[in-house]
């Protein structure tokens, strides 16, 4: 079950980023290049303050909680 999440969650992330990119380039929004870059950065940015409570809510009581938190704890400092 957890190994399926390691496949599903990155695919959802890529789909979300693709959607944000497509929407930011849509002429109806009227975003210039700098605003498109900001939209992509904000769409991909995750924080520990949001991610840890979310993980705890979804996987509360899971024996592999540390394994589930590891990617966020590694990814967050790399974005800073």
């Amino acid at each position: 079950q957890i190994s399926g999440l390691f496949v599903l969650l990155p695919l959802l992330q890529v789909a979300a980023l693709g959607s944000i990119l497509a929407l930011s380039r849509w002429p109806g929004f009227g975003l210039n290049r700098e605003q498109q870059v900001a939209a992509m950065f904000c769409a991909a940015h995750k924080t520990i303050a949001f991610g840890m409570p979310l993980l705890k809510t979804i996987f509360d009581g899971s024996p592999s909680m540390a394994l589930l938190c590891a990617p966020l704890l590694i990814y967050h400092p790399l974005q800073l």
Side-chain angles (χ1 to χ4, degrees):
Q1 180 181 8
I2 290 180
S3 62
L5 287 175
F6 283 114
V7 173
L8 179 64
L9 293 177
L11 289 175
L12 289 174
Q13 177 71 18
V14 169
L17 286 175
S19 299
I20 296 295
L21 179 62
L23 285 174
S24 70
R25 290 185 174 189
W26 186 53
F29 282 117
L31 299 177
N32 62 28
R33 177 84 172 144
E34 291 82 15
Q35 291 169 331
Q36 290 176 10
V37 170
M40 289 302 297
F41 177 77
C42 292
H45 195 75
K46 293 171 186 44
T47 65
I48 292 176
F50 177 72
M52 294 302 289
L54 186 60
L55 284 171
K56 180 157 176 33
T57 301
I58 295 172
F59 300 106
D60 195 26
S62 173
S64 56
M65 186 65 159
L67 179 65
L68 294 167
C69 294
L72 180 63
L73 295 173
I74 294 168
Y75 183 68
H76 178 71
L78 293 176
Q79 283 191 324
L80 297 177

